[in-house]
Amino acid sequence: MNEVLLNTGVYGIINDELKIAYIGETTRSFLIRFIEHLALKKSWEDKRKVNLLLHNKTEFKILNTIEYKGSAFIFIASEKYYSMEYKDKGYELINLYSAKIPAIKSPRKNQKRKTIVNEENLNSYRRCLKYIAMTLAKKNNISSKEVYIWCYSEVNKKFNTNIYSREGNTTIEKLELNELEYIVLKLFDKYKTYILQEKRVLNYE
């Protein structure tokens, strides 16, 4: 599993063959944003983004990891820097970047990750796990409950714990941030592969 996906910073959905790029920034994690790009309805309503996501040469790339310290300014300025860099290389950009904030001149590369445990982060990972559970249930023709049970079993084994014995209204709310990161990251590639295969069938066949 590629744990760099748990970092925050600037990323790109890039196709070097088509010379099309979507550059974005995230103060949560790359993993959350990549899943959202695949899961949210608005991604599949933009024809240019659909063509980018479904092309077999498109890559999800991490351009720079940036430690989040409570301000998004450096993220937005870095997003503009990389957007302009790809634009100067002749790529068509399908994202908008801030005209008000100047591009940072020389981004610091690959800063260390700082784990931020807050309700927004927890809720984002819970949503991602729900997207994954529904999708993999459909893929395997089983109920989403069966997927959740498997996920909780994997978490219990990995962390030598029993999440069912904890306080909380629902089992998913009992998961700690590192446990959510682990199981979502573990299933991400399967989720991504199936979503793209399914969308290609719907759009191209």
Side-chain angles (χ1 to χ4, degrees), residues 6-8 27-28 66-70 111-117 121 177 181:
L6 301 176
N7 284 281
T8 57
T27 58
R28 290 175 295 160
I66 305 169
E67 181 185 348
Y68 181 54
K69 297 180 179 180
Q111 299 175 40
K112 291 182 179 179
R113 179 169 80 101
K114 182 180 180 181
T115 302
I116 299 174
V117 182
N121 239 359
L177 181 61
E181 288 177 331

Side-chain angles (χ1 to χ4, degrees), residues 57-75:
K57 296 294 184 182
T58 295
E59 296 181 86
F60 286 63
K61 293 183 179 181
I62 293 171
L63 302 177
N64 195 9
T65 60
I66 305 169
E67 181 185 348
Y68 181 54
K69 297 180 179 180
S71 171
F73 176 85
I74 191 69
F75 288 76

Side-chain angles (χ1 to χ4, degrees), residues 167-183:
E167 292 184 3
N169 294 322
T170 63
T171 308
I172 196 170
E173 291 176 352
K174 298 179 182 182
L175 292 175
E176 296 176 358
L177 181 61
N178 63 329
E179 296 166 343
L180 284 162
E181 288 177 331
Y182 165 75
I183 197 63

Side-chain angles (χ1 to χ4, degrees), residues 128-141:
C128 287
L129 184 54
K130 288 176 182 178
Y131 294 145
I132 288 172
M134 288 188 294
T135 300
L136 295 185
K138 181 180 178 181
K139 174 182 182 292
N140 294 290
N141 197 27

Side-chain angles (χ1 to χ4, degrees), residues 9-26:
V10 182
Y11 65 91
I13 304 172
I14 299 168
N15 191 299
D16 294 327
E17 184 176 301
L18 299 177
K19 299 210 81 172
I20 299 175
Y22 177 103
I23 309 298
E25 54 81 19
T26 179

